Amino acid sequence: MSSLWWSLRLRREAASVPLARQLLLSSMASAGVDPDVAYDLCLALSEACANAVEHGSTSGDMVGAYRVSAYLEGNRCRIEVADTGPGFPAGYDPARCAKEAESGRGLFLIESLADHVRFRNRPGHGGAVVSFDKVLDRRDGHLMTAS
């Protein structure tokens, strides 16, 4: 069983989103993950990063930045995106918001692409954390390679 993890601190600007997506896509290819599954995770990551760029704050411990972390362990991938914005309002429900609002559909999309999703606020720091997991389909016998 092989594992890989990485974490990035990115500027809160639109140009950072494709960078995170490309790193995830490269990691998935190295791990031998089915391209369709990798694409779904990259789409979910793009939505989470876009939310961090849009809703993040310019104050706090990550001024003008947000953090993206990815963990590939065995047949599971976990991705986490954290920002320093106002966080989620109490009782936030992405499914309800996707039906009623013109925005907020990205979180609903993340829920539909991942196996397990968690939306929470950063305790003591402010900001939101979106984490999601997916069971990976890997090509038989494929080991991650260093390049």
Side-chain angles (χ1 to χ4, degrees):
M1 176 170 26
S2 53
S3 64
L4 169 74
W5 71 271
W6 51 262
S7 184
L8 298 172
R9 181 176 170 163
L10 298 167
R11 289 181 187 240
R12 270 189 52 241
E13 48 192 50
S16 68
V17 178
L19 174 65
R21 186 175 54 235
Q22 185 58 45
L23 182 56
L24 180 63
L25 195 58
S26 296
S27 300
M28 295 285 170
S30 294
V33 174
D34 178 89
D36 290 336
V37 173
Y39 178 79
D40 286 351
L41 281 171
C42 286
L43 180 56
L45 175 63
S46 295
E47 292 295 331
C49 289
N51 282 339
V53 168
E54 182 177 349
H55 300 292
S57 175
T58 56
S59 63
D61 63 335
M62 292 194 307
V63 174
Y66 65 101
R67 183 167 307 282
V68 177
S69 302
Y71 310 90
L72 283 79
E73 180 85 42
N75 69 339
R76 181 167 298 279
C77 178
R78 165 168 262 182
I79 298 170
E80 185 172 283
V81 177
D83 67 40
T84 57
F88 296 105
Y92 180 77
D93 178 6
R96 183 182 50 80
C97 290
K99 293 175 188 171
E100 298 173 2
E102 294 200 19
S103 64
R105 291 189 176 101
L107 297 177
F108 180 72
L109 182 60
I110 294 168
E111 282 194 315
S112 68
L113 294 170
D115 295 327
H116 178 261
V117 181
R118 183 174 178 209
F119 305 107
R120 62 184 169 86
N121 291 326
R122 292 179 58 201
H125 294 92
V129 179
V130 176
S131 59
F132 49 98
D133 295 66
K134 181 85 174 168
V135 174
L136 305 174
D137 293 327
R138 291 194 188 188
R139 292 179 219 121
D140 288 338
H142 192 282
L143 298 174
M144 284 191 277
T145 57
S147 51

